[in-house]
Amino acid sequence: MIETLLVANRGEIACRVLRTCRDLGVATVAVHSDPDAGALHVRRADAAVRLPGAAPADTYLRGDLIVAAALAAGADAVHPGYGFLSENAAFARAVEAAGLTWVGPPPAAIEAMASKTRAKRLMGVAPLDPAALTEADLPVLVKAAAGGGGRGMRVVRDLSALAGEVAAARAEALSAFGDDEVFAEPYVAGGRHVEVQVLADAHGTVWALGTRDCSLQRRHQKVIEEAPAPGLPPALADELCATAVRAARAIGYTGAGTVEFLVAADGTAHFLEMNTRLQVEHPVTEALYGVDLVALQLRVAEGAALPPEPPAPRGHAVEARLYAEDPARGFAPQTGTLHALDVPGVRLDTGYAAGDGIGVHYDALLAKAVAHAPTRREAVRALARALERARVHGPATNRELLVRTLRHPEFAEPGRVDTGFYDRYLADLTAPAPGAGHAAVAAALAEAASRPGPGAWRNLPSAPRTRAYTGPEGAGGSDGPAAHVVRYHRTRDGYALPDRPGVRVVSAAPDLVRLDVDGVVRPYAVTAYPVPGGAGTVHVDAPTGSHRFTPRPRFPDPAERTAPGSLLAPMPGTVVRVADGVAQGARVEAGRPLLWLEAMKMEHQVTAPAAGVVTALHAEPGRQVGVGALLAVVTPDPPGGTAQPAQRPEAADPSGEPARPEPTDPPGE
């Protein structure tokens, strides 16, 4: 029997494992990096051991430190969660060599499936050699052999781009996994990502717990998952489950694992890989079958036998991943304080609580919201409504994108969605949020209500008061969040809105404003989070959705400007590489990749905004930058196309801060 379990992970999955341990009466030990010293998984564990440092390579990827932590804390078992060392055979062997119970498959089974190329050969599929590809092989998907989660993955449609994409994939794979091996496979446009959950014991029983559909992805990373895979022909579902069981038996698998397939539009299934661990999306299978996969993992690790057959599935389950990111601007990760996280009515798996900080060192996943209902339509409706009514206060998130996705007509049709969904609809799904104007009115009136009322009596009517906001972030389109200007009068009878016919203020308090819009009254809950010396944020939660605003200063500082062609960091992160040939004085074409930033396990490409000359470069690999840090300046070619000689512009501050020229314009409204 396992008495004390060390969870060799962090965040949401660590909290998930801790929850099951609490239910089973198993004591727990957490490990943490320095940025995670106060994290939720540390607070919820019975004991915690520090892993000195911040980078994963120095902390959560140090198997020797984790084994030592388990021994020091008196743990007798280790659960790896997902990611980090969960599919590392050497770590599994080290755990067992230390006399600890490994909650996972045998190291030999991990090894058999650890490399995607070896796994494909085991399943009778020949991976493609990128060096031998011809035009006839295109399009292909270049992938990291040792990777996952979209890292080291590139779509190649043009043979001339192959060498560059392979080099980029190798560089990213080496950085993420310590292994630069890549391979290629046919790129199936319009395919569905379908997987099968398996669970096996050491007594010969292997369960196939049905299918999951994970086709809704951004940057090759999953966003919405559901079980069972909708619209899949029963014969095909049975075939995939049988193939998954054969794969598990072939390598002597025990514990939980997932076999992944790509299903083409014609119904042809292509084996992708086997993940020898628990998947992020495992809650939809738990809801569908009424099981606790973590509890079953622990029981299998203790030597227990599974029943001959799994429970019967019931209903339908849908999961949405809530990320701290801005979908309208390339899914750029966001940082800051999470002030509130409340998604009522559905299961919520998270590694954060109100007041926690969201940093730059790990991925942007905040939580997973899961709905289960008798039918798919009911489950989707419940999840969309729960997210719409949720209180998620803090940095910008993809919440609005999730709600719109769940309500999209194509998603409503079972089996219609494929991996190209966001390529087709992202612009529409990130358009300015409806109702933002009324929410901005509520924000302005709540702020006004928090201040004292009007002073002395006036003989003439006063000019309207004005309040301006930027936002909501995450739904303002690629040109940035929209600006909202609210003009109002404060009278002895309440508030009046001279610019908004059809809108009447029913009541206004610092935390709640009720507006009558064309005869329909709706409440707007307003919560302001001021920042000393800054604008802070205002969150407005309404029955029709939520909005996040940033108050704009009444007198903008004209010094808040940058030189033309300045490239500022869109997020905090680390410069991982600079493109070959990019240096001060180099000439570049519009759209050429200049450098890559890594933040929250994702790489973001920074490109030249126009053809011109690189007149400043403040990016070198390994440099940590904050939002708005000056990375480079590309001085555009003048009209007529004659390039200017390279020179260092006055705006290029070597400190890396954006240029701040002396103000010359008088302040205005």
Side-chain angles (χ1 to χ4, degrees), residues 56-364:
D58 299 326
T59 55
Y60 297 109
L61 291 174
R62 285 286 301 274
D64 56 335
L65 297 182
I66 292 173
V67 170
L71 296 174
D76 50 18
V78 173
H79 191 301
Y82 54 69
F84 293 133
L85 294 171
S86 61
E87 295 179 278
N88 187 303
F91 177 57
R93 288 194 176 96
V95 170
E96 293 181 341
L100 304 168
T101 297
W102 168 250
V103 183
I110 298 175
E111 217 155 41
M113 292 292 184
S115 167
K116 290 179 173 60
T117 53
R118 288 198 301 270
K120 282 181 176 291
R121 293 189 183 101
L122 182 66
M123 299 297 290
V125 181
L128 302 176
D129 179 2
L133 292 174
T134 67
E135 196 75 43
D137 297 313
L138 302 181
V140 296
L141 189 63
V142 177
K143 301 174 71 173
R151 307 299 301 276
M153 192 177 294
R154 300 289 191 281
V155 177
V156 180
R157 294 182 172 87
D158 186 341
L159 201 61
S160 64
L162 178 63
E165 296 291 11
V166 168
R170 286 189 186 279
E172 188 175 1
L174 182 64
S175 171
F177 312 114
D179 184 343
D180 71 349
E181 181 188 356
V182 299
F183 68 99
E185 62 187 24
Y187 177 66
V188 180
R192 294 178 61 190
H193 188 123
V194 178
E195 60 191 31
V196 175
Q197 175 73 58
V198 296
L199 187 71
D201 63 21
H203 306 279
T205 298
V206 181
W207 286 357
L209 290 167
T211 60
R212 294 190 291 250
D213 190 300
C214 308
S215 300
L216 269 169
Q217 302 178 6
R218 53 93 166 112
R219 298 171 63 105
H220 306 295
Q221 294 182 322
K222 301 164 188 174
V223 178
I224 293 178
E225 304 100 349
E226 54 183 315
L232 205 65
L236 179 56
D238 291 343
E239 177 190 338
L240 298 184
C241 288
T243 301
V245 169
R246 286 198 302 272
R249 291 192 186 283
I251 59 175
Y253 199 83
T254 61
T258 303
V259 182
E260 302 194 353
F261 303 89
L262 190 64
V263 178
D266 63 1
T268 305
H270 303 268
F271 170 78
L272 289 177
E273 61 184 321
M274 182 177 185
N275 289 308
T276 54
R277 54 172 169 81
L278 202 63
Q279 290 280 92
V280 179
E281 57 272 19
H282 76 273
V284 291
T285 297
E286 292 184 321
L288 187 66
Y289 284 86
V291 298
D292 182 332
L293 288 174
V294 175
L296 291 170
Q297 282 185 297
L298 297 180
R299 292 185 178 117
V300 166
E302 291 175 332
L306 295 170
E309 298 294 332
R314 58 180 184 84
H316 198 92
V318 186
E319 172 183 290
R321 302 190 190 186
L322 184 66
Y323 287 99
E325 65 184 15
D326 192 341
R329 278 165 288 284
F331 296 98
Q334 307 292 298
T335 60
T337 300
L338 182 66
H339 299 291
L341 178 61
D342 181 22
V343 189
V346 297
R347 169 177 168 175
L348 192 71
D349 286 12
T350 180
Y352 291 93
D356 287 347
I358 303 167
V360 301
H361 297 93
Y362 311 106
D363 67 33

Side-chain angles (χ1 to χ4, degrees), residues 9-65:
N9 218 293
R10 65 172 302 278
E12 172 268 323
I13 185 57
C15 292
R16 165 71 189 88
V17 175
L18 294 173
R19 185 173 71 239
T20 288
C21 287
R22 183 185 62 230
D23 294 342
L24 296 179
V26 175
T28 54
V29 179
V31 290
H32 66 86
S33 64
D34 289 338
D36 276 343
L40 186 62
H41 75 280
V42 176
R43 305 197 301 266
R44 287 187 172 173
D46 297 312
V49 179
R50 177 189 176 223
L51 305 175
D58 299 326
T59 55
Y60 297 109
L61 291 174
R62 285 286 301 274
D64 56 335
L65 297 182

Side-chain angles (χ1 to χ4, degrees), residues 322-539:
L322 184 66
Y323 287 99
E325 65 184 15
D326 192 341
R329 278 165 288 284
F331 296 98
Q334 307 292 298
T335 60
T337 300
L338 182 66
H339 299 291
L341 178 61
D342 181 22
V343 189
V346 297
R347 169 177 168 175
L348 192 71
D349 286 12
T350 180
Y352 291 93
D356 287 347
I358 303 167
V360 301
H361 297 93
Y362 311 106
D363 67 33
L365 180 65
L366 287 181
K368 303 177 312 193
V370 187
H372 177 253
T375 67
R376 180 177 187 266
R377 289 182 63 183
E378 291 173 291
V380 170
R381 179 179 65 186
L383 183 56
R385 185 57 174 157
L387 288 168
E388 185 176 52
R389 295 301 308 273
R391 294 178 71 249
V392 185
H393 296 174
T397 72
N398 68 332
R399 187 257 299 275
E400 181 67 20
L401 175 72
L402 296 175
V403 174
R404 295 183 183 188
T405 298
L406 291 166
R407 290 175 173 166
H408 195 276
E410 188 168 302
F411 185 82
E413 297 184 36
R416 176 96 183 272
V417 167
D418 58 49
T419 54
F421 179 84
Y422 285 127
D423 293 334
R424 296 190 295 275
Y425 300 119
L426 186 62
D428 293 336
L429 294 170
T430 56
H438 296 145
V441 169
L445 297 180
E447 181 183 0
S450 68
R451 298 195 299 262
W457 179 84
R458 297 175 63 106
N459 189 25
L460 298 173
S462 62
R465 300 194 179 196
T466 301
R467 196 65 171 108
Y469 298 92
T470 300
E473 277 88 348
S478 59
D479 293 332
H484 299 275
V485 178
V486 180
R487 300 171 71 241
Y488 64 91
H489 286 288
R490 191 179 218 165
T491 72
R492 66 184 65 188
D493 298 321
Y495 294 91
L497 304 168
D499 301 334
R500 299 175 186 266
V503 180
R504 181 176 63 87
V505 182
V506 177
S507 62
D511 58 350
L512 182 66
V513 174
R514 298 175 66 84
L515 298 178
D516 181 328
V517 181
D518 296 326
V520 179
V521 178
R522 288 190 174 93
Y524 294 81
V526 182
T527 310
Y529 298 97
V531 175
T537 56
V538 180
H539 289 263

Side-chain angles (χ1 to χ4, degrees), residues 565-644:
S566 294
L567 298 176
L568 308 182
M571 71 208 71
T574 303
V575 178
V576 290
R577 63 185 186 278
V578 177
D580 292 341
V582 173
Q584 187 166 326
R587 173 163 177 73
V588 296
E589 296 301 320
R592 176 182 173 177
L594 302 181
L595 57 97
W596 288 262
L597 283 178
E598 182 179 279
M600 297 183 179
K601 294 173 62 177
M602 294 173 63
E603 282 199 359
H604 302 266
Q605 190 179 91
V606 178
T607 60
V613 174
V614 178
T615 48
L617 184 65
H618 301 301
E620 56 278 341
R623 179 190 170 197
Q624 298 258 344
V625 298
V627 175
L630 183 65
L631 301 173
V633 177
V634 176
T635 300
D637 291 341
T642 303
Q644 294 296 306

